[in-house]
Amino acid sequence: MLITRYTQATAVLEDSGVVPPPVPQDAEPGTLAWLRARVSRFASGPVHAERRRAVVELLASFDPAELRVRARALAGVPADEVAARSFGVDQVAAVSAAASGYLSGETSPEADAAVRELLPLGIPMITVLLQAHASTAALIANARAHDDGVTPIEDLLHETLRHDPPLKRTRRVGVEIDLVAANRDPDVFPDPDRFDPSRGRTPHLTFGHGVRPCPAAAHALAIAAGYLEGNRS
Ligand code: HEM
């Protein structure tokens, strides 16, 4: 079933009985498939809660204000390296290779080798890096496409998140939620197709909602804001 309306989307995301599609648990240790069986993102119930707790604890050790300063200093580097480098990790090629199949499950020898290279960082940190990689780069690219150089960066980012979510759909068993459509539900967002940064912060679903929303919204916003600021000046 495809969900496009806002209230239906929030109801599904708040229902702890509606879980993400499970991933195979029997993969060879150290591979991307093995990693996917060990992260919070594809787990459910108490296992998800425990893994999520470990990631949230790790994220608490990174101050968003500090991440913003670091990202500002990265103005010259490619946007898809900014998240990892802001978190202090320089293995950007490995992060990119491992992230390429993290959501889809499409594995490759390169992705498996990258996971092995990153393993010493620990699974919570790898989770942070792989979740951050493409979504933060896409947020930056989408915001740049609307950047007139004068709109306050926070307003630009909030409206970019609503109007152009980097992750366009999210899946649960038997259900797919169309985040683009939900973020443009006219019952919630007046004149929804108009890009209007003066809306400020809106209740968009781009960082998820309910049982398992993105635990790093503040971190992602700080990194994107710092990088955009650095490139404006
Ligand atoms: C610093 C950058 C980021 C980090 C460290 C991060 C981390 C995470 C983690 C660990 C999860 C899994 C949560 C769980 O299992 O309970 C997650 C979920 C999610 N993230 Fe992020 N994220 C980042 C950036 C972003 C960005 C830029 C977006 C979109 C604009 C985003 C959207 C989401 C969404 C929608 C989910 C939930 C997916 C679902 O409900 O199925 N994240 N994120």
Side-chain angles (χ1 to χ4, degrees):
M1 182 182 33
L2 180 65
I3 291 190
T4 57
R5 300 309 301 255
Y6 186 89
T7 48
Q8 282 178 311
T10 53
V12 167
L13 293 169
E14 285 167 12
D15 184 345
S16 57
V18 183
V19 297
V23 296
Q25 298 291 314
D26 54 357
E28 190 192 325
T31 61
L32 180 64
W34 172 88
L35 177 75
R36 279 165 47 88
R38 267 154 196 80
V39 296
S40 63
R41 178 68 184 266
F42 312 107
S44 53
V47 174
H48 168 255
E50 172 52 27
R51 292 176 181 177
R52 182 179 168 95
R53 191 202 54 72
V55 171
V56 168
E57 193 178 289
L58 173 62
L59 284 167
S61 68
F62 293 98
D63 175 8
E66 176 63 25
L67 290 173
R68 187 165 178 159
V69 172
R70 285 198 211 166
R72 201 178 295 142
L74 293 168
V77 316
D80 66 354
E81 295 183 9
V82 173
R85 291 195 190 280
S86 298
F87 282 112
V89 172
D90 294 328
Q91 292 148 289
V92 288
V95 170
S96 172
S100 65
Y102 174 75
L103 286 183
S104 70
E106 202 174 307
T107 62
S108 66
E110 293 75 22
D112 291 344
V115 168
R116 287 200 181 88
E117 181 183 334
L118 296 172
L119 266 184
L121 298 174
I123 289 183
M125 190 64 207
I126 300 176
T127 306
V128 163
L129 294 169
L130 302 196
Q131 291 278 163
H133 177 72
S135 54
T136 308
L139 171 58
I140 289 167
N142 294 348
R144 278 180 148 173
H146 292 289
D147 191 6
D148 58 9
V150 293
T151 300
I153 298 248
E154 270 78 11
D155 291 348
L156 174 71
L157 284 170
H158 287 308
E159 180 62 344
T160 299
L161 284 163
R162 183 195 71 83
H163 193 268
D164 304 307
L167 186 80
K168 302 200 179 321
R169 290 186 175 193
T170 193
R171 287 174 64 209
R172 299 290 186 267
V173 172
V175 192
E176 199 159 1
I177 299 168
D178 182 335
L179 296 173
V180 178
N183 281 353
R184 296 189 189 198
D185 187 326
D187 288 350
V188 182
F189 307 98
D191 196 3
D193 293 331
R194 191 161 59 92
F195 186 90
D196 177 6
S198 72
R199 291 177 208 261
R201 199 180 278 263
T202 57
H204 62 72
L205 301 180
T206 300
F207 282 122
H209 174 83
V211 183
R212 44 199 314 138
C214 182
H219 302 75
L221 274 168
I223 291 169
Y227 185 69
L228 290 169
E229 267 162 15
N231 279 289
R232 265 187 185 178
S233 54

